[in-house]
Amino acid sequence: MMPADPTMAAEKDELEEGVEELTMQEEGSIQNGSESAAAKKKRKKKKKKASVEGGPEDAGPAGANDHYEGANSGQLPGKDGASAETNPSAEQGQEAGDNADEGEEAGGEAADGGAKKKKKKKKSGKKKGGSLEQTDPPSIPMADLFPDGEFPPGELQDYKDDNLWRKTSAEMREQERLEKPLYDDVRRAAEVHRQVRKYVRTIAKPGVHIATMAETLEDCVRKLIQANGLHAGIAFPTGCSLNHVAAHWTPNGGDKTVLQYDDVMKIDFGTHIEGRIVDCAFTVAFNPVYDPLLRAVREATDTGIKESGIDVRLCDVGAAIQEVMESYEVEIGGKTFQVKSIRNLNGHSIAPYQIHAGKSVPIVKGGEQTKMEEGEFFAIETFGSTGKGYVREDLECSHYMKNFDVTYVPLRLPRAKQLLATIDRNFGTLAFCRRYLDRLGETKYLMALKNLVDNGVVAEYPPLCDSKGSYVAQFEHTIYLRPTCKEVLSRGDDF
């Protein structure tokens, strides 16, 4: 064996002292939990250099190379069959240090990986609680967005005066608990309405074909509500009445009407689950000159909702609505117009599969003395006009509905019998339009439809129009008079 070179021995001692110093630093930093990755890497390089330059006294070249490869490959030093020729205790200490280094690095990588995983989880496309988020445009059904069947409630308002006790009554609360399936149905229909109208506001812009907009809206409703015959779907045709047309207009097949910047459009559509109808409408206008008109009608509707309640007389609701509505003026084209309530249009009660259930909610004073009752649904809707404040039937009819109380009527026209079977199967007593019949594949049905109208089986509802050149706005919500409070089912962030 060759004698050790003094210079190499000195370098060796110096390297060993550096290793010991780094080891001590490592122990201190582990205790403090603050060792950096750069320090680990530097310490490891020095240890490897020491093992390579240590000379024949420490290990042969083969042993040094084996140790280096073992550290890189994750194998424990000495496990590959290589043995140190001299100084086994130093070799074992160095191996233990390398093993600790590798363990620390692995732990650090695992910790880093855990942090990365947490960050990815925060960026996932799910809401808190794991539920899905709605797409744009909406495409996920409500049943998938709310798999537990708990749908968002509407706005809750307390009753007034003699009915305040209902809020804390244990009996009334128990009654509501028993009605939960009913609440689930109407709240699901209301949530569909909220999400669809939010999307429709983004596409109802000047230049759009109204027929395209209406069909897009209706397809969206069918998708979100999971339309299923008479069990779930659209409650009535989408109203797209423009300017002086107050209600009951939707484009028939082939209509090419395009929405303009100066138009005032009423979008009125309904959804239903098991016949429980949510009827809600709003007005869109792009020219800010119409803002006072829209504000007047929206506040009148909110007033009607506020005044409604169990044992409230319908005439009192109408008087409150008219007072708010006609306190507004709007200036159009240099002329000032008082906003008028349309006296022959009303809100109405709603029953299963029956959009107009018998009670009318006036929007002017002097209406009927009938009272609202517990458990009733009402559509509180108001119409404000710059015209005469009175509507008449005009233009081509698009809305139809089978009479709710009709009994058997003998029909002599075979085509009318066939069309009636289609109506019964797809709409029952819910309203429909000619576009819906087109969608079902019905052709050449106008004569048969007229025969059903003439025989009193089906009623037609032509567009209702104020004077030409005037502008009409509409806002509407569906409320439910619960045992403990009233719930504005269709209320949303928009209005």
Side-chain angles (χ1 to χ4, degrees), residues 64-206:
N65 291 338
D66 288 344
H67 176 78
Y68 183 81
E69 292 171 1
N72 286 342
S73 63
Q75 297 176 352
L76 291 176
K79 295 291 183 180
D80 55 357
S83 60
E85 292 182 7
T86 58
N87 201 5
S89 61
E91 192 77 6
Q92 290 172 1
Q94 187 172 332
E95 290 171 3
D98 287 347
N99 289 342
D101 291 344
E102 291 170 7
E104 287 171 13
E105 289 181 1
E109 290 173 1
D112 291 342
K116 289 178 183 177
K117 286 179 182 176
K118 287 181 180 178
K119 287 181 181 178
K120 287 181 181 178
K121 189 173 182 180
K122 288 180 183 177
K123 293 178 181 179
S124 65
K126 293 186 177 181
K127 290 182 180 177
K128 188 176 180 181
S131 60
L132 296 172
E133 284 185 343
Q134 187 56 274
T135 58
D136 185 19
S139 61
I140 302 176
M142 292 303 101
D144 294 340
L145 281 179
F146 302 93
D148 58 356
E150 295 290 335
F151 301 98
E155 178 191 20
L156 304 182
Q157 295 186 9
D158 293 335
Y159 293 125
K160 297 180 180 180
D161 305 328
D162 294 340
N163 283 312
L164 278 173
W165 63 271
R166 291 174 169 275
K167 185 177 181 180
T168 56
S169 170
E171 181 182 355
M172 297 295 101
R173 290 181 178 179
E174 177 62 17
Q175 187 173 338
E176 288 190 347
R177 189 185 67 81
L178 297 175
E179 293 178 349
K180 188 176 182 303
L182 167 63
Y183 297 163
D184 291 341
D185 285 344
V186 292
R187 287 172 178 171
R188 177 181 167 193
E191 183 63 20
V192 170
H193 200 290
R194 277 189 288 270
Q195 295 197 17
V196 171
R197 73 178 187 244
K198 179 181 178 181
Y199 170 63
V200 167
R201 285 182 181 273
T202 67
I203 64 173
K205 303 294 183 184

Side-chain angles (χ1 to χ4, degrees), residues 101 387 470 491:
D101 291 344
S470 64
R491 180 75 79 188

Side-chain angles (χ1 to χ4, degrees), residues 262-304:
D262 285 321
D263 284 339
V264 175
M265 179 171 64
K266 283 72 66 182
I267 300 179
D268 187 356
F269 70 99
T271 57
H272 84 94
I273 301 288
E274 301 297 343
R276 295 294 180 178
I277 299 170
V278 171
D279 184 1
C280 181
F282 59 99
T283 301
V284 293
F286 313 104
N287 191 333
V289 73
Y290 304 118
D291 288 350
L293 173 63
L294 272 61
R295 192 181 309 118
V297 181
R298 184 167 57 246
E299 291 190 13
T301 299
D302 288 341
T303 299

